[in-house]
Amino acid sequence: MEGIRHDAIAHFDVKYQGFGRAPKFPMADLLLFLLADRDDEYRSLAFSTLETLRASSLHDVLGGGFHRFAELETWGQPRFEKILYGNASLLEAYVEAYRLTAEERFYNVANGTLTFLDSMLASEDGLFFAAVDSEGEKGDPGSYYGWSKADVIEALDDDEALITATLMFFGISPHSVIRGELERCYLEERVQPSQLSMRLARDEETIHHLLSKAREGLKKERDSRPDPAIDSTKYASDQGRVLGILATASIVLNKPWALKRAFDISDRIWDKGRREGGGVEHIFGETGDSVYLLDCAEVILGCLELYRIAGRAADLLRAVTLARETVDLLGDEDGVGYFDHLERETEYGAVRYRFTPFEANSRLLHAFTLLSAYTRNESWHTRALDLSTALAQIRLRYRLADATLGRALRSLVKPPVMVDLIGRQTGILRRQILLEAPAGTLIRTFDPVQKTPWTPLDRYDNCDLDVAEAVVYSDGEVSEQLSDIGEILQRLNDVQ
């Protein structure tokens, strides 16, 4: 973990923010790794990068969500594809940034990204499509995402003050022309509202009003353009990733509908997306003869996060079942880690080569560490230790890509704080703990209706308590039993 922290500092772009050189990728897992750090120096790298991404050309300020990557180190020239997996990962980062800071700028981006996922990528069956294409109807990104000065004038009804503010704020000039276009530009925030206020000799309230009106006008114009094509593939790994963040967002952003959607995805995968021989189908709706490690790992993690948020025992049982099947199907008895997929015949008759993918194994390691904490089953901890040793042997040279491993190792070395909620009406306690306790605090619930697996019933002889109480754990041992939310949160933070 120290190596990842060191490399984050070494590769941080002080001038333009972010990590590494062009092409620039958001690196959501690295941002999440840094946000979970207790050192403000490392968290500040994540906060500043998230702010830069918010204002950059990668952020679709009109429709929400993020484009795939930027060709330039300045975060200019975006590749306009909007990938579900990448957007779900960035949504997780912005939700966590908002939970930590309560700053409106992070809320707005998270809310916009969540709205984009729901409006553009949600399918009728409750699952999510893979991506929005980069090109408009004419086969080029500029026809949908691009803006010329003439386009702005037309969209804003010749309102001179509004047009001037828009052109200056979004940097619509020869410097931001989309590659391959003659005059249509990508949008990015070139100046701060305070700077625009000084340049136009208007107070900031007026500037914010103008910019809000500009976004409405530009969005209305863009909505009249033919939408880019949708990649309607429903990958299991995508569903697992979005399942977990929908559950988290439902609490942090106060979006109850997102929790219902998360339940629907979990149920849909389990009822319709399971393989007869174990595991989950790679593509929902298509019966295949293989199972993929990343699909299994993401669905396990998604179910575990849904259980952490909502406390439905079925989701924990599903995670355990799928994890056991993954071990049986993809474990490499002669090598290290877990295979990418089962052996299968290709259309040419040859057996497809199997390999040990680093990132997917890192995600599975994270799942093992959480399963160990939730179930108190030593076998998961042993598997986590074995897998972490195996991953050290196949570690990538460019260690910024190790952030996924770093997140897993943090849970292995310092298990998340855990708390059992007992008694009736535990929902209020659960919500406050999720919002204010250390990131990733594991919550189990036991009451007369919700019977969580692996919770010893004799521990809670008084489980019919009218007032919910919490049992806080320290290093796996019961620390104390509390009912006051202030004391509970203080103890959880002390333990962390």
Side-chain angles (χ1 to χ4, degrees), residues 15-288:
K15 185 174 182 180
Y16 298 114
Q17 309 298 293
F19 303 90
R21 298 181 178 179
K24 281 281 191 68
F25 289 84
M27 297 190 178
D29 273 338
L30 179 56
L31 295 174
L32 286 162
F33 174 78
L34 295 172
L35 285 172
D37 203 293
R38 303 287 286 182
D39 191 325
D40 288 340
E41 178 184 8
Y42 293 99
R43 276 188 179 178
S44 67
L45 300 182
F47 289 139
S48 63
T49 299
L50 288 169
E51 171 59 20
T52 296
L53 286 170
R54 181 200 65 78
S56 76
S57 68
L58 285 195
H59 182 213
D60 183 358
V61 69
L62 301 182
F66 289 85
H67 304 299
R68 189 178 179 189
F69 68 92
E71 295 182 13
L72 305 180
E73 64 178 353
T74 59
W75 296 102
Q77 289 297 342
R79 287 294 182 91
F80 286 98
E81 301 98 327
K82 297 169 79 174
I83 310 297
L84 172 60
Y85 192 91
N87 272 277
S89 301
L90 280 170
L91 174 58
E92 184 179 357
Y94 277 97
V95 166
E96 179 60 12
Y98 175 65
R99 192 188 74 83
L100 290 171
T101 66
E103 292 185 16
E104 186 178 11
R105 55 177 177 156
F106 295 135
Y107 173 87
N108 289 338
V109 177
N111 186 54
T113 304
L114 182 62
T115 301
F116 156 71
L117 294 179
D118 184 54
S119 62
M120 290 292 287
L121 292 179
S123 65
E124 292 182 357
D125 62 3
L127 301 180
F128 285 79
F129 299 133
V132 178
D133 195 8
S134 63
E135 300 175 346
E137 183 184 41
K138 297 180 181 179
D140 64 280
S143 63
Y144 183 76
Y145 291 108
W147 295 91
S148 66
K149 183 176 180 179
D151 292 332
V152 172
I153 292 173
E154 181 178 353
L156 302 182
D157 299 324
D158 294 322
D159 186 324
E160 185 175 347
L162 191 57
I163 291 167
T164 300
T166 301
L167 295 176
M168 293 178 66
F169 183 72
F170 288 116
I172 298 174
S173 71
H175 297 290
S176 56
V177 173
I178 297 171
R179 199 179 305 283
E181 289 281 332
L182 294 177
E183 55 181 353
R184 279 186 160 170
C185 304
Y186 51 82
L187 299 183
E188 62 181 348
E189 292 187 16
R190 287 293 184 88
V191 295
Q192 296 289 332
S194 58
Q195 295 171 314
L196 196 59
S197 173
M198 294 178 63
R199 292 186 187 184
L200 298 181
R202 302 285 189 98
D203 61 79
E204 283 198 43
E205 183 177 350
T206 299
I207 292 297
H208 281 290
H209 174 73
L210 286 173
L211 294 176
S212 177
K213 189 175 179 181
R215 291 188 186 95
E216 291 177 6
L218 295 181
K219 187 176 187 307
K220 182 178 180 181
E221 164 59 25
R222 199 178 78 173
D223 287 347
S224 69
R225 302 173 180 178
D227 289 333
I230 301 291
D231 179 352
S232 59
T233 311
K234 302 168 189 174
Y235 294 107
S237 58
D238 286 348
Q239 311 312 316
R241 189 77 175 199
V242 78
L243 160 62
I245 186 54
L246 282 175
T248 308
S250 71
I251 296 297
V252 180
L253 303 183
N254 193 24
K255 304 289 183 181
W257 64 265
L259 184 59
K260 181 180 184 304
R261 184 68 60 82
F263 282 137
D264 290 344
I265 294 173
S266 178
D267 294 342
R268 189 79 174 172
I269 291 174
W270 212 251
D271 294 340
K272 302 292 185 180
R274 300 264 293 144
R275 292 177 69 257
E276 186 174 339
V280 292
E281 296 289 355
H282 179 49
I283 298 175
F284 194 85
E286 296 184 13
T287 302

Side-chain angles (χ1 to χ4, degrees), residues 386-401:
D386 291 343
L387 184 52
S388 65
T389 301
L391 286 172
Q393 301 177 37
I394 58 174
R395 199 169 170 208
L396 302 179
R397 290 185 178 181
Y398 185 49
R399 294 191 301 191
L400 282 177

